[in-house]
Amino acid sequence: MWKRAVCTKDCPDTCGLLVQVEDGRIIRVKGDPDHPYTQGFICKKGARFPEHVHGAARLTEPLRRTGPKGSGEFEPVTWDEALDEVAANIRRVADEFGPEAVLPYSYAGHMGLVHRHSGDAFFNKLGASRLDATICGPAATAGFKASLGSGPSTEIQEAAKSDFIIIWGNNTLVTNVHAWPHFLRARKNGAKIVVIDPYRNPTANEADRHLMLRPGTDAALALAVMHVLIDEDMLDHDFIATRTIGFDRLKERVIDWPPARAAEICGLRETEIRDLARAYGTARAPYIRSGWGPARQLAGGMAMRTISLLPALVNAFAKPGGGITRSLGGAPGKAASLLRPDLRPEGTRTVNMVRLGHALTELSDPPIKLLYNYLSNPAAVAPQSAQVMAGLAREDLFTVVQEMYMTDTARFADIILPGASFLETGDIYRCYGHNHIQIARPVIAPVGQARPILDTFQALAARLGFDEEVFSLTEEQCIERILAESADSPFMDGVDLDALRRGEPVRLNIPANPFEHGFKTASGKVEFYSQSMADQGLDPLPDGTPVRDPEGGDAYPLECITPPHPLLLNSAFNEIESIRERTGGPKVLIHPDTAKTRGIEQGMAVRVFNGRGQITALAEVTEDTRPDLLVIEGLHWPNTRPGAGSNQLTSQRITDMGNTCAFHCNKAEVEPLE
């Protein structure tokens, strides 16, 4: 029997799936051919979901720690014993230290609106410290919003009509594979594809041109492109006059960013920059697919802000096939009656999830005494892992982890609660890579004693005497509540709710060019000059000055970035043995010149290090990276690959906008492993 489902991983494609079930087991997973965006194919990772659900190492019963923290030594207990112990420790910590001594930690391990947010009401009622969930995209969001406003951007499918496509900091063939067919259709009709990225990844290999710029110099490149567009008058003057503000001030800033200056900063040739600008300025319908890479720098918000202004100079928005894509979707929203922010005491402390290491080891008044982790693996994904691990190892920290596998975080737990997979739960899914929504229902019953996250929080709420209605709602009731509270969104106008409830993908009411009738900025126009940024004490104009990792000075001469691995997604899919083995373990891409000066040869074990930590990896000596750049793809679990974990090298410093993490802004050194 084939059943419909939706991939819940943190990926813009949010694929519609068909799942083959026999005798209560998942046999096969494939793409839904009737899904307008998925169109019948999925990535190599998604095809391994049967192993994800039925893996031999899956946690299927509650566990209590019996050995030292981090040892991975546990004993089985019943659900009642586990929940009683968790509830008792929540009461103990709240009574002795105050409820803010409890910290929930979760993110996007499940992208459904019900289960991802199922703990919000519980922790608001408790009065626990509030988690500022900023670890991924807020810098990109803030930068884009400052220029073009909030809301969805150009639909990816529009790119099929473009004649000039820039993929800027997005490894499409790895992280957004369903966009690629639309780019190929454009190429078939004569379009050129340019990739801007610090290293030659699979997408760059398939491009017509690749600009291998230094990390963190994207804004400088964008300003130099603006310089050429203005200097050679490749502008839409009517659009600039009527639909933008601050152009004269922009011109004054752009004068200081000629291609020669940017070439030196970016590590590019001046001719490369001029050719890019002229191709963009003379294109019939230029299109930009912006990724998250440029925003994962200390000046990442400014980088995204600057890139986002380019379409306004040529009015790419009005040209079929032109525009810029950052994020799509936009409805349904999170239902306030499910989140219950009104239950949270006024003035409750907020903890930025980027600074978990600091929170667990240095925060006081009160210190964190209970960590409740779900839908995330912070021991691997949070920056400055050594400090995170030190915090997790505290014997006075009671840690609860709801998880499917023995992750690095789960190994530090006092209680592990076995979680149900997305194929064993129901939910409603919105997307950020296309404009469709879908409801999925369980295709099989939970394996063993695994339970959905919603059920777990409701059971804990009952033990703590929380009696609000939200703590008794079923999955279906939560889904209906989300639909009801999103009914006034213009994106939901005309949506076929009956088809949605049948599990079919349904398109939101979002035009392919959502900028047609204006921009959701304070002025209603494109803001070359942003008064809102000035009010925050930020530079109101684009600035291309790179901001580098300030720690360590000249001791660590190489840049280091940590982009996605083709077979992993954040730290997910490490649990699947066949995928884990195919990755071959962590590798670091090193330019031949860099390797030669350090006595490093192909395949040699090396140590990559800085003042925050170190990892071991195999050297991949290749011209696919720059001489001044190390590239470490993916997040390998240290507990399965000793010495792995690239976030040993990353910093807890916060970006210029969005309060997020600069994962690609690291200075490091590499040497042969003795």
Side-chain angles (χ1 to χ4, degrees), residues 522-540:
S523 64
K525 299 180 178 182
V526 176
E527 297 193 351
F528 294 124
Y529 180 94
S530 170
Q531 186 60 49
S532 66
M533 291 185 66
D535 292 343
Q536 299 173 60
L538 300 173
D539 191 338

Side-chain angles (χ1 to χ4, degrees), residues 2 50 141 209 213 309 319 398 406 607:
W2 289 91
T141 300
R209 194 185 315 163
L213 80 174
L309 291 172
K319 302 170 180 178
F398 189 86
M406 190 62 73
R607 181 174 80 102

Side-chain angles (χ1 to χ4, degrees), residues 363-481:
L363 201 62
S364 59
D365 195 27
I368 302 301
K369 290 290 186 176
L370 190 148
L371 180 71
Y372 196 113
N373 177 78
Y374 59 104
L375 301 180
S376 185
N377 180 16
V381 304
Q384 209 159 336
S385 298
Q387 193 176 26
V388 174
M389 296 281 199
L392 291 172
R394 285 171 39 205
E395 285 293 337
D396 66 327
L397 176 72
F398 189 86
T399 301
V400 184
V401 175
Q402 181 148 0
E403 185 53 86
M404 292 177 60
Y405 285 87
M406 190 62 73
T407 64
D408 296 284
T409 308
R411 292 175 69 86
F412 286 90
D414 293 279
I415 292 290
I416 299 177
L417 305 174
S421 75
F422 73 98
L423 294 171
E424 299 158 343
T425 60
D427 218 318
I428 182 167
Y429 297 89
R430 57 181 280 184
C431 312
Y432 60 94
H434 57 82
N435 289 325
H436 293 80
I437 59 174
Q438 194 168 358
I439 291 173
R441 295 181 174 83
V443 301
I444 61 169
V447 172
Q449 299 179 43
R451 290 188 185 180
I453 296 170
L454 176 66
D455 294 10
T456 303
F457 281 118
Q458 288 174 332
L460 286 171
R463 281 167 167 78
L464 293 175
F466 299 170
D467 57 5
E468 284 80 3
E469 178 203 33
V470 66
F471 300 116
S472 62
L473 297 177
T474 65
E475 284 178 348
E476 284 295 323
Q477 289 171 327
C478 290
I479 291 170
E480 289 300 323
R481 188 69 59 87

Side-chain angles (χ1 to χ4, degrees), residues 18-29 47-54 58 421-424 443-445 447:
L18 292 181
V19 182
Q20 186 178 18
V21 177
E22 293 182 7
D23 298 325
R25 288 182 62 88
I26 295 170
I27 305 301
R28 186 184 171 202
V29 176
R48 302 299 179 96
F49 280 136
E51 297 171 67
H52 169 71
V53 174
H54 300 293
R58 182 170 173 186
S421 75
F422 73 98
L423 294 171
E424 299 158 343
V443 301
I444 61 169
V447 172

